[in-house]
Amino acid sequence: MFHIRVAILGGGPMGLEAALYARALGYTVTLYERGEIGTNIHEWGFLPFFTPWHANVTRLGLDALERMGRALPTMDACPPADEFRERYLNVLAGSPQLAGCIRQHCRVASIKHLPVRGGATGLQKRGPFELLLVDPFGHESREQADVILDCTGTYGNHRWAGRGGLPAIGERDLASRIFYKVPDVLGKDRERFADRHTLILGCGYSAATVLFQLERLNRMFPETKVSWAIRRPGQAMQALNDDPLPGRRRLVQASLRLSREPPAWMQFLGNCVMEQVASESRRLAITLNCDGVALAMVVDELAAMVGYLPDDAITQALHVPSVSPRQSDAEPGYFVLGAKSYGTNSNFTLAIGHRQILDAFAKIAGPAFRDCYQLKPLVQSV
């Protein structure tokens, strides 16, 4: 009997849930994580989820916690990201269900398809995948898998802040001075923003989060100044009165308020593109193009909240589309799941991802598929 070997890329929420599901179906599973479990979640661990606990966990995950004698807080509360990592992801990673299948600090450098086996049937007809692995010391090795679930996400792969998503002049050289991930304005990064001038680029939820935190910081440090430039009206300026997520709704409402009636500490620049950035002493000299008018300014910090995109480097030898919520017909057996499947669209939620996992394993297992998410009712589900 052909035994399916599943390789899962990424040790975040999607990767761990997919590994639980694969183990529940009896597959051989290896999860590869280039850093540590939930590393990307930890990057913004000081912020709460928009979604409550019950929307971020699954029946399989709750079963695993229950067998270990662990419990979660009220299911209707929105957890801080670090709490979600510590109380859920790290516990799952250490559960008996996933024992021996997680490889941390193991980078997947590339993937290719090996030749089809003669006389093979089913998944074997496609030929196995071969993964080139690199450990922290640079040593390389190869392993094979019959199915790959790509759950690598997008958060670590930022877009550039220049025109059309390309780097502005000087941006590459100064990238280490620019915030592309949401800074902890009220915490560990406070000294870089308090009583200083920050330029925010972008109009998504990340930009709105930084703006909202800087508004709070200004109340404690009145000399804190902000200039805000957007490429075009984005999610942070699109009010959804029926938005079921209160945290997200409050964030959008705050952004709309600040853009329509900018306070004395903030300058709303409207539609702009960054053309150039240069170092000037310990500050940044920036040139913006605001609807055809050049605007030069010098700021202390630049928060380029211009979004993230999939990193497709590992699949260059395959035929995998950049955005593919389902199995690619061009590359059977390779599934792109999670935030990476949404490309630059940041509306992905873990509840959507759990449905993707279910759909993927329905395709993989065929008639042998079992809906493991229906084992028992979800606690306080809505």
Side-chain angles (χ1 to χ4, degrees):
M1 178 180 177
F2 176 52
H3 194 72
I4 297 176
R5 300 163 297 176
V6 179
I8 298 173
L9 315 185
M14 286 294 294
L16 289 172
E17 295 286 3
L20 277 178
Y21 211 110
R23 289 296 289 264
L25 294 179
Y27 298 150
T28 298
V29 180
T30 306
L31 184 152
Y32 303 95
E33 165 56 46
R34 66 186 303 166
E36 297 182 353
I37 294 299
T39 295
N40 283 348
I41 291 286
H42 182 60
E43 293 280 354
W44 52 277
F46 54 94
L47 296 172
F49 275 68
F50 287 140
T51 48
W53 273 105
H54 67 71
N56 301 320
V57 300
T58 68
R59 295 173 177 86
L60 279 178
L62 291 176
D63 282 347
L65 266 63
E66 183 179 336
R67 293 174 187 176
M68 299 175 70
R70 303 294 186 92
L72 292 177
T74 303
M75 287 286 105
D76 290 329
C78 294
D82 265 342
E83 181 180 343
F84 178 76
R85 184 188 186 218
E86 291 300 319
R87 301 189 67 169
Y88 190 66
L89 298 185
N90 285 348
V91 177
L92 291 184
S95 67
Q97 288 88 334
L98 297 183
C101 73
I102 295 178
R103 303 265 299 277
Q104 297 186 80
H105 303 288
C106 182
R107 180 171 64 90
V108 179
S110 65
I111 303 171
K112 68 178 182 180
H113 244 143
L114 294 178
V116 177
R117 303 163 183 163
T121 59
L123 282 175
Q124 290 176 298
K125 291 174 62 177
R126 305 168 185 164
F129 293 97
E130 183 176 78
L131 293 76
L132 176 63
L133 311 174
V134 183
D135 71 11
F137 304 101
H139 300 145
E140 297 182 345
S141 60
R142 298 183 185 275
E143 293 184 6
Q144 294 183 10
D146 304 296
V147 171
I148 292 181
L149 303 181
D150 187 342
C151 306
T152 52
T154 62
Y155 193 63
N157 195 45
H158 67 81
R159 302 181 70 186
W160 294 104
R163 187 179 300 276
L166 297 175
I169 295 174
E171 185 179 0
R172 287 184 183 274
D173 291 338
L174 292 172
S176 63
R177 277 278 286 110
I178 300 170
F179 286 97
Y180 292 100
K181 298 178 181 179
V182 178
D184 188 358
V185 171
L186 300 175
K188 67 180 181 66
D189 298 317
R190 187 172 71 174
E191 290 186 1
R192 292 185 62 173
F193 296 93
D195 288 336
R196 305 182 83 211
H197 183 191
T198 299
L199 171 63
I200 301 175
L201 298 177
C203 196
Y205 299 133
S206 294
T209 297
V210 178
L211 185 63
F212 185 63
Q213 287 195 316
L214 285 168
E215 181 181 31
R216 294 174 61 188
L217 188 67
N218 174 265
R219 296 174 191 147
M220 297 180 280
F221 298 90
E223 294 303 312
T224 301
K225 306 294 182 185
V226 174
S227 297
W228 180 23
I230 65 175
R231 291 175 173 174
R232 55 188 175 277
Q235 294 163 323
M237 300 182 74
Q238 297 172 352
L240 299 174
N241 296 326
D242 58 347
D243 191 333
L245 304 178
R248 187 170 65 187
R249 184 170 64 246
R250 286 193 296 268
L251 202 60
V252 172
Q253 290 170 344
S255 298
L256 288 170
R257 169 176 53 81
L258 290 170
S259 66
R260 291 168 180 170
E261 300 178 3
W265 55 268
M266 195 200 90
Q267 178 186 27
F268 180 61
L269 301 173
N271 296 342
C272 298
V273 174
M274 186 171 76
E275 300 285 5
Q276 184 169 343
V277 57
S279 177
E280 185 169 300
S281 297
R282 296 185 178 181
R283 309 183 76 197
L284 295 172
I286 295 172
T287 302
L288 300 174
N289 185 318
C290 301
D291 289 330
V293 178
L295 173 64
M297 63 171 58
V298 178
V299 299
D300 297 296
E301 300 294 344
L302 171 59
M305 302 291 103
V306 292
Y308 312 97
L309 70 168
D311 182 357
D312 298 322
I314 61 174
T315 58
Q316 289 181 354
L318 302 175
H319 303 287
V320 178
S322 295
V323 181
S324 175
R326 292 173 291 276
Q327 176 185 5
S328 165
D329 293 333
E331 199 61 69
Y334 197 106
F335 296 80
V336 180
L337 308 177
K340 186 173 184 177
S341 72
Y342 267 49
T344 58
N345 185 335
S346 62
N347 284 320
F348 173 79
T349 65
L350 289 180
I352 293 172
H354 300 154
R355 171 54 61 180
Q356 290 181 338
I357 291 172
L358 201 68
D359 292 345
F361 281 106
K363 289 182 171 65
I364 295 166
F369 173 67
R370 187 170 78 256
D371 185 354
C372 299
Y373 287 165
Q374 299 297 326
L375 290 176
K376 67 177 184 179
L378 186 60
V379 179
Q380 297 184 24
S381 62
V382 294

